[in-house]
Amino acid sequence: MIPKLFTVLALACFLTIGTKAQGIDSLQLTSQEIPAGYSLTKENNSLSIQAQALYDDPAMYGTLLGKFKTKRIQNFDHKKDKGCIMYFEFENGFKGQGFLDGLLWGGDKPTKEHPEEYYAKGKFLIIWSFKKGSTIAKISKDKIQLLLK
């Protein structure tokens, strides 16, 4: 009886963890992952209007990027590193990489004026709006790539 109960509880725990890992909330940085000197803020810290326009109304780009499901944003302040991380989830997966490149950068790679970087995998799209060399962006990228391999 006890081994069966343990097996059922272990399976339930595993399924709960697996489900959470698939959610957009699990991709965000936790307070323990945020380095000293950084603080979360409600102020919009996007470095470009193009990235902010996408976050403000992703459904407007639905035919080009995929059907939008949910979004989250984390805005960070630091005396030398200010920006945000935008998290998007699409119902049937992200599409439209070429369009996104043009929207964010006006070309095929980030520029000094438009330094945003992004990672798309399956139904998730994450955009980092920070200047090149951002510590917190690197921490987030490492976490995202580990979770969405």
Side-chain angles (χ1 to χ4, degrees), residues 100-111 114-118:
L100 186 61
D101 292 351
L103 176 68
L104 293 178
W105 310 317
D108 61 352
K109 61 183 177 181
T111 65
H114 301 285
E116 283 77 16
E117 296 180 87
Y118 71 88

Side-chain angles (χ1 to χ4, degrees), residues 12-23:
C13 182
F14 175 74
L15 290 175
T16 302
I17 291 169
T19 302
K20 185 177 180 188
Q22 298 301 314

Side-chain angles (χ1 to χ4, degrees), residues 3-147:
K4 280 187 178 182
L5 179 62
F6 178 74
T7 303
V8 169
L9 289 174
L11 182 59
C13 182
F14 175 74
L15 290 175
T16 302
I17 291 169
T19 302
K20 185 177 180 188
Q22 298 301 314
I24 199 169
D25 292 335
S26 67
L27 302 176
Q28 293 183 273
L29 292 177
T30 65
S31 58
Q32 294 82 14
E33 295 168 318
I34 298 171
Y38 285 89
S39 60
L40 285 167
T41 180
K42 292 184 186 247
E43 180 183 339
N44 174 349
N45 285 337
S46 178
L47 298 184
S48 76
I49 195 162
Q50 293 83 354
Q52 189 58 46
L54 174 60
Y55 185 79
D56 288 343
D57 192 6
M60 180 170 71
Y61 303 99
T63 56
L64 299 164
L65 300 178
K67 190 170 181 185
F68 168 75
K69 183 176 178 183
T70 190
K71 65 181 179 177
R72 301 277 189 285
I73 191 169
Q74 288 184 300
N75 290 292
F76 294 96
D77 270 335
H78 183 276
K79 57 184 168 187
K80 295 183 180 178
D81 187 17
K82 187 177 192 179
C84 67
I85 307 169
M86 301 174 192
Y87 307 85
F88 300 90
E89 184 176 359
F90 295 85
E91 287 188 11
N92 299 311
F94 170 75
K95 61 180 183 175
Q97 179 178 343
F99 172 77
L100 186 61
D101 292 351
L103 176 68
L104 293 178
W105 310 317
D108 61 352
K109 61 183 177 181
T111 65
K112 188 173 183 177
E113 296 81 28
H114 301 285
E116 283 77 16
E117 296 180 87
Y118 71 88
Y119 182 77
K121 178 92 178 206
K123 61 184 180 176
F124 297 107
L125 167 66
I126 296 83
I127 298 175
W128 294 276
S129 185
F130 291 92
K131 292 181 181 174
K132 190 174 182 173
S134 168
T135 299
I136 200 155
K138 180 177 180 349
I139 291 168
S140 173
K141 289 175 196 174
D142 291 346
K143 176 180 182 172
I144 296 300
Q145 291 178 350
L146 181 67
L147 290 174

